[in-house]
Amino acid sequence: MMNHAKRGRPIEYDRDLTLQRAGDLFWSVGFAASSLDALSEVTEMTRPSLSGAFGDKEALYIATLERYRDTSVAAMTTILSAARPLRTELAEVYAKSTDAYLASDDAARGCLLIGTASVEAVHRPAVRQVLQQSLGAFNAILEQRLRKAIAQGELGAGADAAGLASVASAVMHSLAVRARAGEPRAALDLLSKAAIDLICGKDPADTIS
């Protein structure tokens, strides 16, 4: 005799919201200190539901890193459109990045990737791969914009787009670490301006007549 018992409906959840909530916990306390019980609480999903949706804790963590990277890449691509001067667009990238690094009800959290993935990457190859791919993606966006700046005459024809992109990206990482270390916004903004002057040349507006 066939069993006609109804199967339970799959638990419905908002994947993006779940990853945002889990990512906020990882971002605040790190991967190791984020217990499955705490992740279950912040995501409002049971541990079996989390496991069924994402796999183990590391898989969930990697999914939050990928979401963070994809969101950051989309934001940078929109800003670095070459519709405005390079200096203006770089200034906005640094300003918005600093906003994110400092945004927290408690101490500044810095960058999810730099602040947490760089720690886990040493012993977790999958995390290291995501970190490497993410840093490469940020560099690629910056390099593409710098190449446009060279082609449009904003930078000299001999400018090293790849090298300058690495510098621009490294400054973002430094801002993240310094924010997490407690440096004030004014100091971070000065670093951003110095980086822009290095890449684009001294701002004519700063020249004293």
Side-chain angles (χ1 to χ4, degrees):
M1 184 175 180
M2 294 182 63
N3 184 351
H4 294 288
K6 294 182 179 179
R7 295 181 178 180
R9 292 181 58 190
I11 296 176
E12 296 181 0
Y13 71 100
D14 184 325
R15 179 180 175 84
D16 190 67
L17 180 59
T18 298
L19 290 177
Q20 177 191 321
R21 289 171 172 173
D24 283 342
L25 181 63
F26 287 131
W27 200 349
S28 296
V29 303
F31 174 80
S34 298
S35 69
L36 288 172
D37 285 338
L39 287 164
S40 174
E41 181 178 353
V42 298
T43 60
E44 300 180 359
M45 293 177 68
T46 64
R47 287 177 57 168
S49 296
L50 275 176
S51 178
F54 298 99
D56 62 14
K57 178 179 158 183
E58 181 177 311
L60 173 60
Y61 175 58
I62 288 173
T64 68
L65 294 178
E66 291 173 337
R67 176 186 180 275
Y68 181 88
R69 176 199 63 206
D70 293 346
T71 301
S72 300
V73 164
M76 285 181 65
T77 301
T78 298
I79 295 171
L80 297 173
S81 64
R84 298 171 296 165
L86 174 62
R87 175 180 294 277
T88 301
E89 293 183 353
L90 280 178
E92 185 174 344
V93 167
Y94 286 141
K96 289 188 179 299
S97 296
T98 304
D99 288 343
Y101 300 155
L102 292 173
S104 175
D105 293 333
D106 300 309
R109 297 184 299 181
C111 170
L112 176 63
L113 283 160
I114 300 303
T116 69
S118 58
V119 176
E120 300 304 324
V122 178
H123 303 294
R124 297 180 182 276
V127 174
R128 182 164 62 249
Q129 181 178 24
V130 173
L131 178 59
Q132 186 179 59
Q133 291 172 344
S134 300
L135 298 183
F138 300 147
N139 264 36
I141 296 168
L142 288 162
E143 182 177 346
Q144 182 180 43
R145 177 62 183 94
L146 290 164
R147 290 194 183 282
K148 288 181 180 178
I150 294 170
Q152 295 169 354
E154 289 187 280
L155 297 179
D160 179 1
L164 290 175
S166 293
V167 170
S169 185
V171 170
M172 289 177 62
H173 310 332
S174 181
L175 289 170
V177 173
R178 289 170 182 271
R180 195 159 192 167
E183 284 201 16
R185 177 66 188 246
L188 301 178
D189 289 344
L190 283 175
L191 173 58
S192 297
K193 185 179 185 307
I196 295 169
D197 286 345
L198 177 65
I199 294 168
C200 300
K202 194 71 175 177
D203 187 351
D206 292 336
T207 303
I208 301 176
S209 306

